[in-house]
């Protein structure tokens, strides 16, 4: 990963919680995604397109969302040799995406897009715990690895990282403000954890220093997705005021 001076980003600066809520469109077709976006509308500021939807529909779904005025978080977790990642990042920039994920342990390729895309480095997947880290040969705890990867991402010029809300407070204290911390694994109180292990509520995530939170099923599977999104934003606002 090439090291150079970090670039500034507008990601953490937004005070409006709507712009800090990312809804995960974890569905298998463009029609399902479009129906969800129509139901949620402007209740959320950013929509995430992950591997399932992108592989099913290709870049067309991203172009459709961007052309409709939506901010898109393209969550592909790119991890390959630097040249390959750089070319993929350039392609994502041409799609007009707002945010894009790469793995922190691979090539960040921030120089490939010259600030046109906010590059977020994935630290440790939220499905992993300390025991999993040991099994894969990584010494120390999840928190140790997250902090190592976050520092590397910042020094490489990434605009932020992706980590669970459990580690976000530690990262914020270590790396300071002006750096995006995007946290998946966010569940309102009482919601099922599903395949996430290191989770927190929306309020806890914001209190711990997250700049953005990613929420999927608690919103997309709700009877009224827009109402569910509004409730989460309200909890985020309360946490921000307390903080």
């Amino acid at each position: 990963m090439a090291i150079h001076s970090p670039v500034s980003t507008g990601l953490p600066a937004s005070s409006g919680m709507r712009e800090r809520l990312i809804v995960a469109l974890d569905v298998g077709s463009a029609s399902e995604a479009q129906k969800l976006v129509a139901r949620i509308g402007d209740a959320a500021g950013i929509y995430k397109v992950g591997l399932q939807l992108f592989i099913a529909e290709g870049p067309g779904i991203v172009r459709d969302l961007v052309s409709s005025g939506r901010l898109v978080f393209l969550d592909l977790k790119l991890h390959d040799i630097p040249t390959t990642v750089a070319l993929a990042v350039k392609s994502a920039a041409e799609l007009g995406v707002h945010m894009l994920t790469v793995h922190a342990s691979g090539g960040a390729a921030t120089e490939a897009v010259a600030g046109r895309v906010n590059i977020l480095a994935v630290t440790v997947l939220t499905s992993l715990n300390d025991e999993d880290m040991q099994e894969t040969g990584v010494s120390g705890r999840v928190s140790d690895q997250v902090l190592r990867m976050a520092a590397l991402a910042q020094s490489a010029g990434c605009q932020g990282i992706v980590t669970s809300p459990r580690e976000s407070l530690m990262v914020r204290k270590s790396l300071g403000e002006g750096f995006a911390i995007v946290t998946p694994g966010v569940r309102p109180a009482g919601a099922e954890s599903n395949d996430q292990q290191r989770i927190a509520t929306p309020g806890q995530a914001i209190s711990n220093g997250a700049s953005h939170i990613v929420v999927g099923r608690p919103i997309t599977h709700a009877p009224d997705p827009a109402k569910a999104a509004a409730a989460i934003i309200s909890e985020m606002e309360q946490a921000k005021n307390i903080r």
Side-chain angles (χ1 to χ4, degrees):
M1 185 179 285
I3 305 298
H4 54 76
S5 299
V7 297
S8 62
T9 173
L11 282 175
S14 176
S15 59
M17 289 298 162
R18 188 188 72 84
E19 291 79 13
R20 296 169 65 174
L21 173 61
I22 302 169
V23 174
L25 298 175
D26 294 332
V27 293
S29 70
S31 61
E32 290 176 275
Q34 289 162 351
K35 287 176 183 176
L36 280 171
V37 172
R39 295 185 69 189
I40 300 167
D42 294 331
I46 304 173
Y47 287 91
K48 180 176 84 72
V49 173
L51 284 170
Q52 179 188 9
L53 182 56
F54 190 80
I55 289 176
E57 296 290 350
I61 182 62
V62 176
R63 292 192 184 97
D64 288 345
L65 289 168
V66 171
S67 65
S68 70
R70 308 296 177 187
L71 293 179
V72 175
F73 172 20
L74 185 57
D75 185 22
L76 300 184
K77 300 179 178 67
L78 302 174
H79 192 182
D80 211 312
I81 62 173
T83 299
T84 299
V85 172
L87 292 172
V89 167
K90 286 182 179 179
S91 294
E94 291 170 2
L95 289 175
V97 303
H98 180 58
M99 306 158 86
L100 174 70
T101 50
V102 301
H103 269 284
S105 57
T110 55
E111 67 280 357
V113 291
R116 289 185 291 155
V117 179
N118 293 294
I119 303 295
L120 306 174
V122 177
T123 55
V124 176
L125 298 176
T126 55
S127 59
L128 301 178
N129 58 28
D130 289 343
E131 290 72 25
D132 296 321
M133 300 298 291
Q134 297 296 322
E135 288 183 9
T136 58
V138 177
S139 62
R141 301 166 298 171
V142 165
S143 57
D144 299 325
Q145 182 69 357
V146 166
L147 198 54
R148 281 194 292 264
M149 292 295 98
L152 181 61
Q154 187 182 55
S155 67
C158 293
Q159 284 70 55
I161 61 162
V162 179
T163 193
S164 92
R166 297 290 181 87
E167 292 83 42
S168 56
L169 181 59
M170 171 192 68
V171 172
R172 182 62 72 204
K173 286 181 177 179
S174 176
L175 302 185
E177 301 295 329
F179 190 65
I181 299 177
V182 178
T183 58
V186 176
R187 298 284 188 274
E192 294 183 4
S193 62
N194 300 111
D195 54 355
Q196 309 278 10
Q197 295 205 37
R198 306 185 330 273
I199 64 174
T201 67
Q204 289 169 336
I206 294 298
S207 295
N208 285 350
S211 61
H212 298 71
I213 68 171
V214 182
V215 182
R217 283 163 280 200
I219 291 176
T220 60
H221 288 194
D224 186 337
K227 184 176 180 181
I232 288 172
I233 289 171
S234 177
E235 183 179 341
M236 293 165 68
E237 289 283 4
Q238 291 175 10
K240 176 178 176 290
N241 293 335
I242 293 173
R243 186 183 174 205

